[in-house]
Amino acid sequence: MLPPDEVLDAWKARVRPLEEAELALVRAVVNHPPWLAEPDEHALRYALNLARLGLVRAPGGEDVDVAPFLAPFREEVLAVAPPALTRPGGVDRAAVSRLVPHLAAHARAWRARTLVAFGARLPAAALDRECCEKALVVVCGGGGGVTWSYLGAFDLLEQYGLTPRLLAGTSMGAALALFRAREVRWRADAVGAVVRGLSFRTLFRFLQTESRYGLPAAMRLYLRAAIQGHLAGPDGALPTLRQLPIPLVVSCTGLRTGALPREPEYYEHLLDLHGRRPQPHVVKRMLADLFQAVGEFMAQRDRFARVYLGADEGTEDCDAIDAVGFSSALPGAIHYDVLRDDPHMHRLLGGLFQRRDLFRLVDGGLVDNLPARAAWGLSQAGGLGTRNALVLGLEGFGPKLTQALWFGLEQLAAQNVARSRPFVHLLKSYQRVLSPLEVVPGARTLARAIQAGKAELLPDMPLLARLCRRYPAPGAQHPAAG
């Protein structure tokens, strides 16, 4: 379960200077080789990570709190390392080189003291794993067709042998994260096969249906019917968020009773022609009304609840497709709901609505278009078995003058992305993206988006790979297997 925001903020404030110092160190090593010997790099990284430690997961599953014991060492590291590594002018390489003997010796001494102090509760292997091995967390922002570039990122991570330990996403970013989560190894051709079988007609229908958990809108999203054949197991069962080979967290917006800017019926008929011909000026007016409605939601997002299916209490066993469907339900345009006979999902959603006092669920991008805070928070709460998480954020819906039609909404989305920025270690803001409307691209268009996604992330891969590569602990000759 996710801790409250104030707890997450306190945790992040404690470790952020140390995380930023390690990131700056490795970036400097990658960008300016060979100014620091690899053993010295490892020694400094170990010192920074040892100082960062709070709760450490022991082999038996127990969490051992070493933070109070390591407080003097942490204060010592904070006093000397960040000033040399994160100064405005860049890394002070001479100062860092001078720090190595001092911090390396002190880290070895504090490591030994910690192992003595906590005895059999915390073996050396558990302590060293928490310091030397990072769990990759990939967070995928929403934005319709812009998200196809993320497939290029998935391809590159696989080529470099980097497997996410946790995925999180919003809207269509959550949909692509779901396909990444269905297998530990990434097979790019599998998604191509899925896209070839999709069309606008298989995904959307203009019809009015009952509304139970989702907000009425002009189109109904039939996501389950469109993709369930690609996600069902050998027994035909569809996975829950907990059952996926890679855990997934999905961001949704929870509307509270009385918090809607307008009556529900307004959104159901927002794209009705009302007897008018679909001429350009009519369509333009309809789109303007839709953008205004979405803008109204985003402007008062503080009145809505941030819901993280897969991380919030009681939501771990949410049907994975339903989670993505609700996260993609854009007010006024797309309606998703669970109207089938499914006692498990009705109990789960009913309990969620009661606990959080919710009226409806809609697109997660309204309150959190890049759910990095939730992903990092889940790792710090012990959801991955390690707290040493590296968060890679992928987003493509940032403000772009080349997409003037969407510029206003992109600016609003950027505001809630900024809220998540402190919880992202490496953010890739894609620029060469498809239009948000290209939800079902053709084969050549999709290939172009994937190639652009690779090209934009490629310069960051040496840094990412080095950060995620396990390094030896003090005195070890080789990293232990794990």
Side-chain angles (χ1 to χ4, degrees), residues 22 38 41-42 45-46 49 111 123-135 161-162 165 386 388 464-474 476-482:
E22 183 185 18
E38 193 170 70
E41 175 200 342
H42 295 162
R45 291 183 65 185
Y46 193 92
N49 279 284
R111 173 181 182 269
L127 181 69
D128 292 342
R129 180 186 293 270
E130 189 67 20
C131 290
C132 302
E133 181 178 327
K134 292 189 183 297
L162 302 178
R165 292 275 296 276
T386 177
N388 195 355
L464 191 60
R466 197 176 190 96
L467 283 165
C468 290
R469 186 178 71 197
R470 188 172 182 183
Y471 58 91
Q477 297 300 314
H478 301 284

Side-chain angles (χ1 to χ4, degrees), residues 92 94 104 203 274 314 380 444:
D92 185 339
L203 284 171
H274 299 293
Q380 301 309 297
R444 294 179 63 181

Side-chain angles (χ1 to χ4, degrees), residues 104-126:
H106 279 237
R108 287 194 298 270
W110 276 97
R111 173 181 182 269
R113 293 176 194 170
T114 303
L115 294 175
V116 170
F118 292 92
R121 296 174 59 202
L122 189 62

Side-chain angles (χ1 to χ4, degrees), residues 138 140 146-160 162 176 180 186 188 191 392 394 428 430 432 445-458 461 464:
V138 179
C140 301
V146 306
T147 64
W148 290 114
S149 293
Y150 305 166
L151 298 184
F154 296 168
D155 284 356
L156 272 182
L157 293 174
E158 183 67 22
Q159 291 170 21
Y160 276 75
L162 302 178
L176 297 187
R180 178 62 190 91
W186 171 246
V191 170
L392 169 64
L394 306 175
K428 175 49 60 180
Y430 281 106
R432 290 182 290 157
T445 302
L446 177 62
R448 187 174 75 247
I450 293 173
Q451 189 57 40
K454 285 184 179 180
E456 290 196 48
L457 184 62
L458 185 60
M461 288 307 300
L464 191 60

